[in-house]
Amino acid sequence: MTVPGRRSSTFIRLLRHGFTDPSAAERLLDEPEMAVVRSDPLLLDAFGATADPDLALRGFVRLAEAQKPDERAMLLDTLVTAKPLRDRLLGVLGASEALGDHLARHPGDWHALVTYELADLHPGVEEFEHGLAGADDPVSLRIAYRRCLLAIAARDVCGTTDVAETAAELADLATATLRAALAIARAAAPQDAAACRLAVIAMGKCGGHELNYVSDVDVIFVGALPEGADGPADEGAAVRAATRLASHLMRICSESNIEGTIWPVDANLRPEGRNGPLVRTLSSHLAYYQRWAKTWEFQALLKARVVAGDPLLGAEYIDGVSPLVWQAAEREHFVSDVQKMRRRVIDNLPAGQAERELKLGPGGLRDVEFAVQLLQLVHGRSDASLRSSSTLEALGALAAGGYVGRTDARQLDEAYRFLRAMEHHIQLYRLRRTHLVPEDEADLRRLGRSLGMRGDPVAELNKAWKRHASVVRRLHEKLFYRPLLDAVAQLTPGETRLSPKAARQRLEALGYADPVAALRHLEALSSGVSRKAAIQRTLLPVLLGWFADSADPDAGLLGFRRVSDALGKTPWYLRLLRDEGAAAENLARVLSAGRLAPDLLLRAPEAVAILGDPEGLAPRGRDHLEQEILAAVGRADTAEGAVAAARGVRRRELFRTAAADLIGSYGTEESPAEEDPGALVDRVGNAVTDLNAATLAGALRAAVRAEWGDTLPTRFAVIGMGRFGGHELSYGSDADVLFVHEPREGVDEHEAGRAANAVVAEMRKLLQIPTADPPLLIDADLRPEGKSGPMVRTLASYAAYYRRWSLVWESQALLRAEPMAGDAGLAGRFIDLIDTLRYPAEGLGEDAVREIRRLKARMERERLPRGADPTLHTKLGRGGLSDVEWTVQLLQLRHGWAEPGLRTTRTREALAAGRAAGLLSTEDAQILDDAWVLASRVRNGVMLVRGRPGDTFPSDGRELAAMGRYLGYGPGHVGDMLDDYRRTTRRARAVVERLLYDAV
């Protein structure tokens, strides 16, 4: 026992030395065998210098207690007199609870820390093989492995080795262990050993000499006949014998007991993965890689290295696969394969762990490794200096060759080393395979202190980690795009840069179909010493990445050059892109997603300002649009000028709507993709409908002013029909309308009729005048008597016609009639007139229902274009728009008189009302809604991608890929898109046949 004063003094000393639980530490130091530690200030300093002084003290007490008395005396004497050993032993005990447990079980292994001490050597495979010598069974091999690991960890925590050297030592120890395990397997089955040759090829981090403390060791096995044997039967026997040896080797390393496991041996990188044979002959390997291998498999082979077994067979394997690796970038689907691999990293992140993931998270280790490997595949074809299996060596070679800027490479090197050091020390604590940064305060404190942070370890660690991760987040720009500009920009003499050939290779790998043209665009945009060129050199690396992330990078870059040429002298343009992060990404997405939006933008490039306004993509309401258009019409001197102004507003607003649709579909870094496709469809339908209605109002005002001044002799209204009336227009839709007029008091009916017809003719002419703006086509074919009937009627004429001659299809068409422009009172009276037709009292009779079914069946037989695939035609195909709309309209005609919710011109609202009224099951309503929304999105996407309307998917591969991206499918998933469309519409058709054709 110690007196209270002594105890209080020790408590304070322990607290000062970094102990977080000085009371517990004081109790441990009161043990008799700890007297020398308690009385020696240097020893307390040594404990205080460790990552976790409390852990180090507990581990040392356990180690001392496990010693025999004479050994304990030697340990304590060495601890006092030999500072290098003291630092190594306490350093390990303060950083690794697992190695402390090992020393407690095997107290003599502390002597391993003396190995290489005098010469301060860094051991290689031969030294580790010597350390494992004598381990002739799995248990003794695990013990010997941990003993060697103890020495590696000691050098690591004391700073004798840096992170790259530690990783290389771990890989060398793994090599020696695999050789020892193979020797044990051979000794257990000498007949198998004699019957085959077996080569073990290391992959992944082991192959790249950059192994973690705890990591799967990825391998590939190659089998062959023994020397002097041949014949197909013997070859099969040799492969079977090699498979038994390989399986035994894997069990030796992977199985666990009280000593733990060494590490799992993972052979899933072999051809066909876990479904393929464990061992193949060399010829079988090469045949697979030549015919079936995917791009990621060649990326994995970058790190292939012979580590065990037959060295000549292993060398033959490496010689055979290497040429294939360096041809991978020339593969047909290289770009889409690369994009899939990038996304797989994100997709595989467990929910809620992304921010703590050192390996797979944003700014993590995989980002650096992936980018370096990608650059190696692209440029290593012609530059053998890049063919290193080590990430840091390859990064250095990329910098030396000018493929990566020196400053960028240095920052990435520093970030990678720091993140790997974090990963090493996290794993070292309990020797568990993890890449997650801990959340516990004590764990973070120990981790920070292990990295040399002693002031406020937790805060310093988090700050450094975030700083380095931020550097890595920019790696796609830093490593992949910046040198492209260096290849074409005017640089300081002597500065290293990509050659034109290397720049073309880089652009090819990014998916640019015409890299020569792309280089010309880059040169035009970024060459020179002007401020404009300097800003472009800042913007283009990021833009190139966004373009490359689209289905048509060439179109994106070309569009950006054309917009920049048009606005290059405008001071706000480049400043907007540079200073408003969202504007640049929005512009890149819009320019590379298809033809419609760029065409609209290039006719008025100043509309790019919309992309920088946080509210700029929100659709403007009809009242606001109509006010602006009517004001523009009022300022114009001629009717042509007035409608030109109205069409200019329409062009700008179509661009706003298209841009919002694309950005909502693709998403950006700041704004994820819209989750609800229905909301996107509704937003487009409402926006285009309001815009066309406002444009018609402007054209009507211009036509009236040209002939009659401010007052037309007759009241005049435009009624929207079809998709126009239903607020369901797509970008390329015509405006289906009815024209109605009513003579003013005292005006002759014939004079009023001539005036109304003249207005209609003038409106149609003005809206179709060839200009740079997209036309608005007016379609009045849904009027009474169709094309043979008068273009415009009085309200009384409509009433007479509908009373005497109206057919059931006309009642159906009137379900979507809604006022759009002109005299509101007259339009309201027209709506009152037709309500009794479209919502007939007591619903439709059986004869009318049969007529609707007959008309629908006839339409399906006669109107589908010849050669069109009925499973993919969005309007008339199976489960398409027509199917859903006719089903909903039959519901409205039958029940609209009794259910107010059905009295709407909008298909989705009517579906929801039918479900709410119990007329549709929830499942049926959802199936119909899903099909209608999907078909509508396809129609919108076709117009956005091709720049012209269409009712089926494009046949061109690049356009089809762009459609997939618009609909939310990643690269390479066009087949999934078509399958999903067919499945969705097939289910809808089944509901349609039951509700439209079977129900009475």
Side-chain angles (χ1 to χ4, degrees), residues 2 17 83 93 175 178 215 296 334 337 390 415 436 596 605 613 621 735 753 775 835 854 905 924:
T2 57
H17 279 88
K83 183 180 187 305
L93 292 173
T175 298
L178 287 169
S215 178
W296 71 263
F334 177 75
D337 289 344
S390 162
L436 288 177
L596 177 63
D613 180 0
D835 273 351
R854 187 187 66 79
T905 63
D924 285 349

Side-chain angles (χ1 to χ4, degrees), residues 895-949:
H895 301 284
W897 66 279
E899 293 293 339
L902 290 172
R903 299 172 203 165
T904 174
T905 63
R906 308 183 188 210
T907 301
R908 298 189 72 209
E909 285 187 2
L911 266 175
R915 182 182 65 233
L919 302 172
L920 285 172
S921 71
T922 299
E923 181 181 8
D924 285 349
Q926 189 63 56
I927 289 172
L928 294 177
D929 187 71
D930 289 345
W932 190 90
V933 167
L934 180 55
S936 297
R937 290 212 73 207
V938 172
R939 292 188 92 200
N940 286 341
V942 169
M943 186 66 182
L944 287 168
V945 169
R946 304 182 68 196
R948 60 181 187 273

Side-chain angles (χ1 to χ4, degrees), residues 371-551:
V372 169
Q373 291 163 20
L374 206 52
L375 290 176
Q376 287 181 276
L377 288 173
V378 171
H379 300 297
R381 292 177 287 176
S382 56
D383 189 343
S385 69
L386 305 180
R387 300 178 183 180
S388 170
S389 61
S390 162
T391 300
L392 291 177
E393 287 181 6
L395 181 57
L398 287 165
Y403 304 98
V404 176
R406 291 189 180 93
T407 300
D408 300 337
R410 186 186 69 251
Q411 291 178 343
L412 261 294
D413 183 284
E414 292 173 355
Y416 187 73
R417 288 175 185 273
F418 180 83
L419 295 175
R420 285 302 304 274
M422 282 185 68
E423 181 185 45
H424 277 186
H425 291 190
I426 290 169
Q427 293 183 349
L428 181 59
Y429 175 49
R430 286 184 175 148
L431 290 182
R432 292 179 181 171
R433 184 176 182 270
T434 179
H435 312 286
L436 288 177
V437 178
E439 295 179 293
D440 183 74
E441 188 84 5
D443 291 334
L444 290 171
R445 180 177 183 272
R446 180 180 56 257
L447 179 58
R449 284 173 61 90
S450 75
L451 296 171
M453 301 169 183
R454 297 303 168 89
D456 186 346
V458 175
E460 293 174 35
L461 174 68
N462 284 324
K463 181 178 179 181
W465 172 33
K466 299 304 180 186
R467 174 168 54 84
H468 287 297
S470 176
V471 170
V472 175
R473 282 193 189 99
R474 300 194 303 272
L475 69 90
H476 208 54
E477 170 192 350
K478 291 290 186 179
L479 288 186
F480 228 79
Y481 304 108
R482 175 69 66 185
L484 286 170
L485 297 186
D486 294 349
V488 297
Q490 302 298 314
L491 301 179
T492 304
E495 184 172 347
T496 304
R497 65 180 186 178
L498 285 183
S499 68
K501 178 182 178 182
R504 286 195 298 273
Q505 289 179 338
R506 183 80 59 90
L507 286 162
E508 286 175 359
L510 288 168
Y512 288 84
D514 190 351
V516 175
L519 281 174
R520 286 199 303 269
H521 299 325
L522 291 176
E523 185 169 16
L525 288 163
S526 62
S527 294
V529 295
S530 67
R531 181 172 179 80
K532 170 187 170 184
I535 296 176
Q536 289 282 23
R537 286 195 290 271
T538 300
L539 291 170
L540 276 167
V542 184
L543 290 168
L544 283 170
W546 288 324
F547 295 149
D549 196 35
S550 73

Side-chain angles (χ1 to χ4, degrees), residues 700-936:
L700 175 60
R701 175 71 60 85
V704 170
R705 286 183 61 207
E707 182 68 26
W708 295 277
D710 293 331
T711 304
L712 190 66
T714 185
R715 296 180 180 86
F716 187 92
V718 182
I719 308 298
M721 300 288 286
R723 294 190 171 280
F724 189 21
H727 291 249
E728 296 163 356
L729 290 178
S730 60
Y731 298 104
S733 298
D734 296 344
D736 290 314
V737 298
L738 296 178
F739 296 111
V740 58
H741 79 102
E742 186 177 61
R744 296 184 185 276
E745 293 75 4
V747 176
D748 178 73
E749 186 169 323
H750 293 291
E751 178 187 351
R754 285 194 299 271
N757 277 286
V759 166
V760 170
E762 183 70 5
M763 285 178 65
R764 299 183 76 185
K765 181 192 78 171
L766 291 172
L767 289 170
Q768 296 177 51
I769 293 174
T771 69
D773 298 317
L776 174 57
L777 301 179
I778 294 176
D779 187 341
D781 290 351
L782 292 176
R783 65 188 183 269
E785 302 177 76
K787 293 181 180 180
S788 60
M791 184 67 67
V792 59
R793 289 174 180 263
T794 64
L795 183 63
S797 176
Y798 275 109
Y801 175 86
Y802 288 139
R803 184 171 57 252
R804 298 185 60 188
W805 307 111
S806 178
L807 301 175
V808 66
W809 73 263
E810 292 178 295
S811 296
Q812 183 179 351
L814 289 169
L815 284 168
R816 297 209 276 188
E818 182 172 298
M820 290 296 168
D823 190 289
L826 173 61
R829 291 193 293 278
F830 179 85
I831 296 299
D832 292 339
L833 167 69
I834 65 173
D835 273 351
T836 56
L837 288 170
R838 56 184 180 175
Y839 309 125
E842 305 301 327
L844 289 181
E846 189 173 331
D847 289 344
V849 172
R850 277 197 294 268
E851 176 66 8
I852 287 177
R853 291 171 177 164
R854 187 187 66 79
L855 290 172
K856 179 67 167 66
R858 179 183 173 187
M859 185 177 69
E860 290 178 10
R861 288 194 308 269
E862 299 178 359
R863 294 184 59 187
L864 188 70
R866 179 172 298 179
D869 184 346
T871 67
L872 293 176
H873 198 279
T874 60
K875 183 176 181 181
L876 301 174
R878 179 193 70 190
L881 297 170
S882 177
D883 269 2
V884 176
E885 289 164 1
W886 278 63
T887 302
V888 171
Q889 288 159 16
L890 178 60
L891 198 70
Q892 291 179 284
L893 288 166
R894 295 176 64 198
H895 301 284
W897 66 279
E899 293 293 339
L902 290 172
R903 299 172 203 165
T904 174
T905 63
R906 308 183 188 210
T907 301
R908 298 189 72 209
E909 285 187 2
L911 266 175
R915 182 182 65 233
L919 302 172
L920 285 172
S921 71
T922 299
E923 181 181 8
D924 285 349
Q926 189 63 56
I927 289 172
L928 294 177
D929 187 71
D930 289 345
W932 190 90
V933 167
L934 180 55
S936 297

Side-chain angles (χ1 to χ4, degrees), residues 47-61:
F47 278 102
T50 65
D52 187 339
D54 301 87
L55 179 64
L57 180 58
R58 290 196 300 272
F60 184 76
V61 170

